[in-house]
Amino acid sequence: MSFEDMVRRHVRGWIVGDGPEADVVLGTRVRLARNVRDVPFPGVASAEQLHTVVDMARQAIAGLDARSGGPLKFMRMSEVAPLERELLVERHLISPMHTQDVREKAFAVRDDEAVSVMINEEDHLRIQTLFAGFQLEEALNLADRVDDRLSEVLEYAFSERAGYLTAWPTNVGTGLRASVMLHLPALAMTNRLQQVLGAVARFGVAVRGLYGEGTESIGNIFQISNQVSLGRSEDEILKHLANLAREVIGHERSSRQRMSQDRRALEDRVWRSYGVLRYSRAITSQEAMQRLSDVRLGIDLGIIKGLDQRILKELLVLIRPAHLQSFMGRELSPAERDVHRAAMIRERIRLQETPQA
Amino acid sequence: MMCQRCGIRPATLHKVRIENGVKTEVHLCEQCARETGELPGQESPFGTTFEELMKSFFDLPFLEAPPGEPSVRALPRCPNCGLTWADFKRLGQLGCSRCYDTFERELRPVLKRLHGATEHTGKRPRERGESVRRRELARLREELQQAIAAEEYERAAQIRDRIHALEKGDGAL
Ligand SMILES: [Zn+2]
Ligand SMILES: [Zn+2]
């Protein structure tokens, strides 16, 4: 597979788009948890019951047309090769849990990956929409259209009092989890991250780092999402989350502005990171993400010109282990991955750049 | 139990720690747990860790009996999926949609703590049966008017019976 085929095959949808507030907001995700009435939830149901849910979901999803968010391609997870499953995880289309014990699990996705449905993950259905930039309303609208159409075919578990009934009581009510993915390099560099994120966390949103493995945030990417799903309408939940996200965006922008007043240190850091990405022969994913974060900030602040903003989001996905192995067509040891990761990044930069150093 | 750090919010993280033979208990609210590093700030992009946390603390004396209730009451088993309240405390997850009825009384304080509310105010599923019923009723009423206008009283009576049955909810659609 050529590099360009690889990119074309794997990078689409929210990853290549920009969307509103794209200088800080990388993407928006909305998830609706839904279950079929009276059938036990996946954690408890028998294989036979889960099989029935897969069949019902397949039929319902087949009815999704362009007006209702479709069409979606449906697949049983047992028919998806293990490496392909990992690719789906790395592209945020399924959870790691959905790759384990794949019997009676299924997945459906629209060609542009903006709409997907996990079947028999923790709930019978988890409808997901993904958008570039800050687009909470759009993401909910699309999820709603899918949900409405599915509810005409499937009889949902719903109670007047508790709303949509879900396996975890943390999701009951609206079943809605809305998340905004933020790139916050300036807050991190000025050590204001803790303060700002701590403040918004006090207002009932969850704050998480992306791909966090230790306690370090990787690539300065954070996600904030609603914690409460019951007792507030979908619109109220989104409004609350949007206000807090706007708060964080504002702080990040003011930090960037302040930082760019002392341009020399910043430029040095940005160009050093650029140099590492441009010339290194082996790089860990952790370092790559940190350097990419610096370079992306450099692009946003006009220090680096001629390089596309989207390089960060694209490479965040392309340098993950399954994507590297898919590109190389074989399994790679961690050391080999570092080498191929460096090569992929060099290639990606070369494809685009006309920088004036 | 209140959070031992801030004393404001209810403690949701409970830990027993044994250091140098000395046993200490830790009871923190989620926010203090995060601020003191008891709760890692890093979580998967799929948001499972909050749920995992739930799992770990449901096991502990979090679900006390509601005040004024006898502390032990024989709890039912969900007739649909067989889950018991003890199972729920162990798993953190419910077994089926009917568990919400079976354990309504026990769940209410849990929901209150998680969401600050117990009543849904958001979207409802499209009422499939309902809208079909409404459409059918509208059509029958129109037909009834036509029958009366045409002085077809026998047919009008039949239609009226059908409307009554539908309104009572026992008419087949
Ligand atoms: Zn506290
Ligand atoms: Zn049950």
Side-chain angles (χ1 to χ4, degrees), chain A residues 59-218:
Chain A
Q59 276 185 16
I61 286 168
L64 293 170
D65 55 16
R67 258 173 310 148
S68 48
L72 304 190
K73 186 179 171 226
F74 183 94
M75 53 200 117
R76 290 173 194 272
M77 288 307 291
S78 56
E79 290 161 5
V80 179
L83 180 63
E84 291 285 329
R85 292 177 204 155
E86 293 306 317
L87 293 171
L88 295 174
V89 172
E90 291 179 358
R91 301 229 290 280
H92 302 273
L93 293 171
I94 63 173
S95 67
M97 190 190 164
H98 212 49
T99 65
Q100 292 156 15
D101 192 11
V102 293
R103 283 167 301 166
E104 312 307 346
K105 285 193 171 110
F107 169 67
V109 63
R110 197 166 82 177
D111 197 44
D112 65 357
E113 302 182 355
V115 183
S116 58
V117 184
M118 282 192 284
I119 296 114
N120 288 337
E121 198 235 24
E122 293 188 313
D123 291 293
H124 292 150
L125 297 173
R126 286 196 166 182
I127 302 163
Q128 170 176 280
T129 55
L130 270 169
F131 277 70
F134 194 34
Q135 303 198 60
L136 280 166
E137 267 177 59
E138 292 78 0
L140 180 64
N141 281 343
L142 182 55
D144 252 350
R145 272 155 56 202
V146 174
D147 179 51
D148 283 342
R149 180 77 186 99
L150 294 180
S151 76
E152 287 170 11
V153 184
L154 299 168
E155 199 170 344
Y156 282 155
F158 179 84
S159 103
E160 290 298 330
R161 185 197 296 271
Y164 293 93
L165 304 177
T166 51
W168 291 99
T170 42
N171 292 322
V172 78
T174 56
L176 168 67
R177 183 80 75 237
S179 311
V180 182
M181 197 187 286
L182 305 162
H183 182 223
L184 306 174
L187 284 176
M189 284 181 207
T190 53
N191 295 317
R192 294 179 60 227
L193 205 51
Q194 208 71 359
Q195 179 200 339
V196 170
L197 293 181
V200 297
R202 225 153 285 156
F203 289 95
V205 295
V207 178
R208 304 186 174 90
L210 180 70
Y211 293 124
E213 279 143 36
T215 50
E216 283 267 305
S217 94
I218 301 177

Side-chain angles (χ1 to χ4, degrees), chain B residues 92-136:
Chain B
Q93 275 177 293
L94 292 160
C96 75
S97 47
R98 277 219 253 153
C99 288
Y100 280 92
D101 294 327
T102 312
F103 305 114
E104 210 225 306
R105 180 142 58 134
E106 289 74 28
L107 272 173
R108 213 175 301 155
V110 177
L111 296 181
K112 182 84 190 162
R113 197 158 304 183
L114 287 170
H115 300 284
T118 56
E119 305 272 332
H120 178 59
T121 57
K123 182 179 181 178
R124 314 174 74 259
R126 274 202 187 172
E127 294 156 3
R128 235 180 343 151
E130 277 305 310
S131 61
V132 173
R133 190 189 304 266
R134 263 199 304 270
R135 236 178 295 131
E136 180 71 0

Side-chain angles (χ1 to χ4, degrees), chain A residues 35-47:
Chain A
N35 287 282
V36 178
R37 189 186 192 91
D38 287 343
V39 180
F41 300 137
V44 168
S46 68

